[in-house]
Amino acid sequence: MTGPSLPGLDTGQVALDVLRAGGSVRLVARGHSMTPAIRDGDRVELEPLGSPPRPGDVLACEADGSLVIHRLVGRPGGRLELRGDAAPARDQPLAPGAALGRVVRVERGGRPVLLGLGPERVLLAWLSRHGVLRALARCRELVRSVPIGSGFRLALPVREGTGGRART
């Protein structure tokens, strides 16, 4: 997923416009609220919603005029309840029309990331809704930064696959 970058262009607004017009868009994610599924600098591919969103889908929504890419964790009263996997709280519920697309592919370092878009998305939605993914992300960052003598640091491997935001 490579493509040109245009300085000064509001890529979030362009992505919203492309999705409204029925097109797909690829962009570089900015932010940390969807860690570990989507990290700052990952490339994400968004497609327009062709069917109603399902629990666990990572949706591209318009919230207060901005593009937000977060996971669908519930549907109270028919509204969309979203939360970033590592966000401190759920987002304000949105009208169903605010969802314009879904993330269909994530790439990190030129390789596809296999976390969060397959069948595991339902479990991840539950874990995200209850703040478990945020707690795990915070623990992971704490453990990665712990020195373990003689200048060594504990490094946890992150499994990245070979098969399938904007503000996260």
Side-chain angles (χ1 to χ4, degrees), residues 103-152:
V103 175
V104 295
R105 184 176 173 88
V106 178
E107 284 187 4
R108 184 172 302 136
R111 298 176 60 192
V113 176
L114 295 177
L115 176 65
L117 301 179
E120 72 280 5
R121 70 183 165 61
V122 176
L123 174 61
L124 290 174
W126 187 89
L127 294 171
S128 183
R129 180 179 191 153
H130 296 287
V132 176
L133 291 179
R134 175 178 165 73
L136 291 173
R138 292 182 74 204
C139 287
R140 180 177 182 270
E141 289 307 311
L142 288 173
V143 169
R144 286 176 56 113
S145 65
V146 173
I148 56 171
S150 301
F152 291 102

Side-chain angles (χ1 to χ4, degrees), residues 66-78:
S66 296
L67 174 63
V68 176
I69 298 177
H70 280 170
R71 191 177 304 278
L72 178 63
V73 296
R75 295 192 78 145

Side-chain angles (χ1 to χ4, degrees), residues 5-91:
S5 175
L6 301 173
L9 189 64
D10 182 352
T11 56
Q13 191 58 52
V14 171
L16 290 170
D17 291 343
V18 170
L19 290 168
R20 274 192 210 97
S24 298
V25 65
R26 295 176 185 162
L27 52 88
V28 176
R30 292 289 168 224
H32 300 280
S33 67
M34 280 300 294
T35 300
I38 301 172
R39 296 185 191 159
D40 187 65
D42 285 353
R43 293 188 180 274
V44 295
E45 184 174 346
L46 309 172
E47 288 186 356
L49 289 177
S51 59
R54 304 166 298 175
D57 281 350
V58 179
L59 300 177
C61 298
E62 182 173 12
D64 298 325
S66 296
L67 174 63
V68 176
I69 298 177
H70 280 170
R71 191 177 304 278
L72 178 63
V73 296
R75 295 192 78 145
R79 298 180 64 81
L80 302 175
E81 183 175 49
L82 304 171
R83 182 172 184 165
D85 290 348
R90 297 178 208 153
D91 302 344

